[in-house]
Amino acid sequence: MRLFAIRDYRHLFGAQVIALFGTGLTTVALGLLAYDLAGPRAGMVLGTALTIKMVMYVVIAPLAAACVDRLPRRTLLVLLDVVRGAVVLALPLVTEVWHIYVLIGLLQSASAAFTPTFQAVIPDIVADESDYTRALSASQVAYTMESLLSPVLAALALTFMSFDRLFLGTSAGFLVSALLVLSARIPDARPSAHTKAWDKAAAGIRTFLATPRLRGVMALNLVVAAAGSIVVVNTVNYVRDELGGSQSDVAWMLAASGTGTLVAALVLPRVLDRTAARTVMMTGAGVLVGGTTAAVTLIAAGLTTWTGTAIIWTVTGIGMALVITPTGKVLRDSVGRNAIPEAFAAQFSLSHLAWLITYPVAGWLGTNAGFTLAWSVLAVLAGAGATGALLLWPRHDGRGTMTGPAAHARHAPGTDRSTLAKAA
């Protein structure tokens, strides 16, 4: 592939993949650490930790995107990887729940600054339009593979080691990522069209509010977060307490969701060649609403079987992929090239704002009031998000969001993408 012939992109992509798998192992190990410290209240602990993560992402990511063109980006990325590696190394040493909260705050502050900085680097390294599209797809594939393979690797590792050893693998991953970033040539950032930090931070948000299809994406973020929170937050307690499973069983159930995501990701490229992104994403929203409704029925009726749970978790993974995978293309088609980093940073914050709403519901309400009520609330939020997306993103507006031959005319030489974005 021509894209991977670009040395600097190859090194940065390798850094992203390694750091992603490190993060995936941390997610599994963090849930097990919470169960080890809090037992039946692990969902509340994990929900609080993930809520802290979302607060950091919502607050810090836009500021990082606003200031990224004022800082030496390679040095910043390396420093953030080192910080993340050091914090993860300290997690196995915690003895109190509040220690988790402090360390997660530090870890996610670094991650919140890393992601928009990394995203802003790619367009400067991959100049060709078609290669840049492939770079966006490759990043999504990396996220997809991580969601599948990290739980599987964790499940295999947990068969012969304790969960705290997973943190060591994560820390090593961040350090390797830092070395790969250090080996890449990263050009200085191009000046943004906005000179003030707040203007740059708010520019992407204003674009979302002004563009119908992006308003639809905001609503779809809530659907993904509502369904995903059940899987991310509640799997540990559900598998351990309701199904009587082991640590490895927790990881395998998470892998069921990842399997659904992978299957959808393998099929989607051909589908998106023929089908508008709006259609695919709305279908995904419908799948997620159905999945959350099925989860409520499962727990309310007392049908807590391994097979039923695995099917619902897999369906949820499929629905999340259907919504998330086309999002990068929709963003890129909606703004001018120099505004792409700001748009991605805005989506990064807005999507995590949705998780900030749903994580406490899954963690706190699930612990104090039970899964039935918590999952019912999440199912209602998923339905509200899907309905909002249908209303906010008009059907005729799906015209510019195809990735196949129909998209080429849109980006033909001489076409002004900013003009196309205004038409949205």
Side-chain angles (χ1 to χ4, degrees), residues 28-39:
V28 176
L30 182 61
L32 297 173
L33 175 62
Y35 191 86
D36 190 55
L37 292 175

Side-chain angles (χ1 to χ4, degrees), residues 30-53 97-98 100-101 104 229-230 232-238 241 355-356 358-371 374-375:
L30 182 61
L32 297 173
L33 175 62
Y35 191 86
D36 190 55
L37 292 175
R41 300 183 68 81
M44 178 177 286
V45 173
L46 187 57
T48 301
L50 293 172
T51 299
I52 293 171
K53 170 184 175 179
V97 169
W98 68 268
I100 294 179
Y101 300 153
I104 288 298
S229 291
I230 294 176
V232 175
V233 177
N234 295 139
T235 296
V236 173
N237 277 117
Y238 182 80
D241 299 334
W355 291 92
L356 181 57
T358 60
Y359 273 151
V361 174
W364 303 344
L365 191 60
T367 299
N368 293 312
F371 291 147
W375 293 2

